[in-house]
Amino acid sequence: MIAACASTGVENRYQTELDALEARCTARQGILVTTGLQTGRPETDYACRISGVASRIPGD
């Protein structure tokens, strides 16, 4: 989703965390959207937007 500009550990860690966040979101049939923040933490920089019918019944 986001390409790293340099090959330092920070960008690689961010991308790894972002990829995991995106995978969890996609598994919930959602899509990642930016929150407008730039904190360096994917879980704060992005939110999982789930569209469709909401259910109160857990899927797991």
Side-chain angles (χ1 to χ4, degrees), residues 26-51:
T26 301
R28 296 173 57 204
Q29 299 175 345
I31 186 168
L32 283 185
V33 293
T34 183
T35 61
L37 300 173
Q38 293 182 352
T39 66
R41 295 181 8 217
E43 66 275 8
T44 304
D45 297 344
Y46 293 89
C48 183
R49 177 178 293 159
I50 300 173
S51 59

Side-chain angles (χ1 to χ4, degrees), residues 16-30:
T16 300
E17 291 176 5
L18 181 59
D19 291 345
L21 182 65
E22 184 174 27
R24 288 191 306 272
C25 182
T26 301
R28 296 173 57 204
Q29 299 175 345

